[in-house]
Amino acid sequence: MMRCEDVRELIPWYVEGSLDAEEARAVAGHVAACEACVREVAAALRMRTEVRNALDGLPRLSEKTWVRIRERTGGRSIARIDVGSFLLGFRLGASVVRGGVPMRGDLQVLGQNIKLFERRRGGSR
Amino acid sequence: MAGWAESDAGAAELEDRRLLARVARGDEDSLRVFYDRFAERVLRYAYTLLHRRHLAEDVVQETMVAVWNGAGRFGGRSKVSTWVFGIARHRALDLLRREIRGERVPDVPLTLPDPAPAVERREHVLSALSSLPEDQREVVFLTFYEGLSYKEIAAALAIPEGTVKSRMFHAKRKLAEALT
Ligand SMILES: [Zn+2]
């Protein structure tokens, strides 16, 4: 039988379900027979829920983050014309590599990406 | 039940690896899919470490560019997620050091527009989290948000398993006090 102290150390991972099977069985066996540790399980579950809710509630990334990443990976965006204000969700994008060769162009209509052209890095295809 | 979770996790890992291999070959569409799978998680990890929204977004950007440039160097010895979070951690701590040296403008604290009780509660929890030492909140995040085992956390952070447990133990006590 495990001691309360050893069980309590493991309870956060027990409620998360990330203990290996043997440890999980040992913790479950102890908790089933120990009222004090049951309360610890309840507290850990509450904490898990609170932490997840709090982090899930953070505002999501804006599309700008992706645009900046694209500028640093596929090439620089040279023509991103955003006319969303009068044509809902319409956007035209094109990227070039430093040599001026177009890598990719796409048209976004109502959130849907329509590829105009694309070249893979490294040439052919 | 554990079997289900394991096979789900196994399938996700295989998909992550397939994507990363395509990213290594320069496939931008795969980078986008990879971004969709990881960006929000990296944002939350970085936010847990830094508690500054704009810095957390920078970490997402830096991490994804590093993934693009370094995908070919992923050795497959760890899970893809562990590798990604390792990069994010490195970038986050780097930004933190620069900010401490005053090289970056401090952020305005994150404010959420809707003062409903649920939102207030979330802000309260975030501020309780932010009051923990950084190494403790990191363990809380990896345990409860990413679902890592204490063994995986120990490996990811290169610290003994006992240290992971004791960080969690202290974090749990302080959070319980703050959250009652
Ligand atoms: Zn007990």
Side-chain angles (χ1 to χ4, degrees), chain A residues 15-65:
Chain A
V15 303
E16 185 59 44
S18 61
L19 288 181
D20 58 43
E22 197 184 323
E23 277 179 323
R25 260 197 303 276
V27 170
H30 176 103
V31 167
C34 176
E35 221 175 289
C37 284
V38 169
R39 279 198 297 274
E40 288 287 318
V41 168
L45 274 172
R46 219 167 24 240
M47 182 179 303
R48 173 182 188 271
T49 308
E50 296 249 43
V51 166
R52 293 185 71 98
N53 283 346
L55 288 167
D56 279 337
L58 286 174
R60 309 192 78 77
L61 284 164
S62 73
E63 197 61 18
K64 254 188 281 172
T65 305

Side-chain angles (χ1 to χ4, degrees), chain B residues 1-43:
Chain B
M1 236 173 79
W4 276 106
E6 267 163 38
S7 64
D8 279 357
E13 175 64 17
L14 270 181
E15 182 56 23
D16 287 345
R17 284 176 185 231
R18 265 197 293 270
L19 275 172
L20 199 55
R22 282 190 222 120
V23 171
R25 291 196 296 272
D27 180 354
E28 278 188 52
D29 290 339
S30 294
L31 182 70
R32 175 66 211 213
V33 179
F34 197 86
Y35 174 87
D36 288 338
R37 284 170 86 90
F38 283 99
E40 295 288 345
R41 291 158 66 191
V42 168
L43 177 75

Side-chain angles (χ1 to χ4, degrees), chain B:
Chain B
M1 236 173 79
W4 276 106
E6 267 163 38
S7 64
D8 279 357
E13 175 64 17
L14 270 181
E15 182 56 23
D16 287 345
R17 284 176 185 231
R18 265 197 293 270
L19 275 172
L20 199 55
R22 282 190 222 120
V23 171
R25 291 196 296 272
D27 180 354
E28 278 188 52
D29 290 339
S30 294
L31 182 70
R32 175 66 211 213
V33 179
F34 197 86
Y35 174 87
D36 288 338
R37 284 170 86 90
F38 283 99
E40 295 288 345
R41 291 158 66 191
V42 168
L43 177 75
R44 279 152 185 79
Y45 180 44
Y47 188 81
T48 302
L49 291 173
L50 303 171
H51 278 277
R52 289 170 186 78
R53 172 77 189 197
H54 80 282
L55 287 185
E57 281 179 20
D58 284 355
V59 170
V60 173
Q61 208 188 120
E62 294 295 327
T63 302
M64 288 299 154
V65 171
V67 164
W68 175 255
N69 292 326
R73 288 192 295 276
F74 170 69
R77 281 177 301 278
S78 66
K79 287 204 280 190
V80 172
S81 58
T82 311
W83 181 71
V84 172
F85 283 111
I87 295 171
R89 177 169 206 268
H90 196 79
R91 295 291 189 278
L93 298 182
D94 200 47
L95 285 177
L96 194 63
R97 275 190 293 270
R98 271 194 273 163
E99 174 134 310
I100 288 166
R101 287 204 305 266
E103 289 168 28
R104 293 208 44 131
V105 198
D107 199 10
V108 283
L110 180 80
T111 47
L112 298 161
D114 178 11
V119 174
E120 269 174 33
R121 182 65 185 173
R122 287 202 294 261
E123 286 200 61
H124 180 62
V125 175
L126 287 176
S127 97
L129 256 182
S130 74
S131 70
L132 298 176
E134 169 208 309
D135 53 1
Q136 291 177 17
R137 32 178 147 105
E138 181 172 37
V139 169
V140 170
F141 175 87
L142 294 174
T143 299
F144 290 135
Y145 203 79
E146 281 299 319
L148 296 192
S149 70
Y150 68 85
K151 287 172 188 170
E152 288 170 321
I153 297 172
L157 304 183
I159 54 175
E161 291 173 6
T163 307
V164 177
K165 290 179 188 165
S166 76
R167 283 181 191 176
M168 175 56 92
F169 180 83
H170 293 297
K172 211 170 57 167
R173 201 166 50 185
K174 278 181 237 170
L175 276 180
E177 270 168 36
L179 294 180
T180 40

Side-chain angles (χ1 to χ4, degrees), chain A residues 3-4 7-8 30 34 36-37:
Chain A
R3 294 177 307 164
C4 287
V7 169
R8 280 177 203 184
H30 176 103
C34 176
C37 284

Side-chain angles (χ1 to χ4, degrees), chain A:
Chain A
M1 185 80 172
M2 285 173 91
R3 294 177 307 164
C4 287
E5 298 149 67
D6 300 327
V7 169
R8 280 177 203 184
E9 271 190 350
L10 295 177
I11 280 175
W13 295 282
Y14 172 67
V15 303
E16 185 59 44
S18 61
L19 288 181
D20 58 43
E22 197 184 323
E23 277 179 323
R25 260 197 303 276
V27 170
H30 176 103
V31 167
C34 176
E35 221 175 289
C37 284
V38 169
R39 279 198 297 274
E40 288 287 318
V41 168
L45 274 172
R46 219 167 24 240
M47 182 179 303
R48 173 182 188 271
T49 308
E50 296 249 43
V51 166
R52 293 185 71 98
N53 283 346
L55 288 167
D56 279 337
L58 286 174
R60 309 192 78 77
L61 284 164
S62 73
E63 197 61 18
K64 254 188 281 172
T65 305
W66 171 247
V67 170
R68 288 202 198 99
I69 292 165
R70 273 278 303 278
E71 285 169 359
R72 292 173 61 188
T73 55
R76 279 172 302 137
S77 283
I78 45 157
R80 187 156 287 283
I81 310 151
D82 203 327
V83 288
S85 50
F86 58 89
L87 214 160
L88 207 82
F90 179 92
R91 196 161 68 175
L92 176 69
S95 305
V96 290
V97 287
R98 253 172 231 112
V101 185
M103 289 286 286
R104 181 191 180 113
D106 54 41
L107 182 67
Q108 275 197 356
V109 182
L110 296 171
Q112 265 202 310
N113 231 38
I114 298 160
K115 224 171 277 174
L116 299 179
F117 57 88
E118 178 179 28
R119 268 186 225 195
R120 310 255 153 181
R121 200 165 63 163
S124 63
R125 222 203 87 113

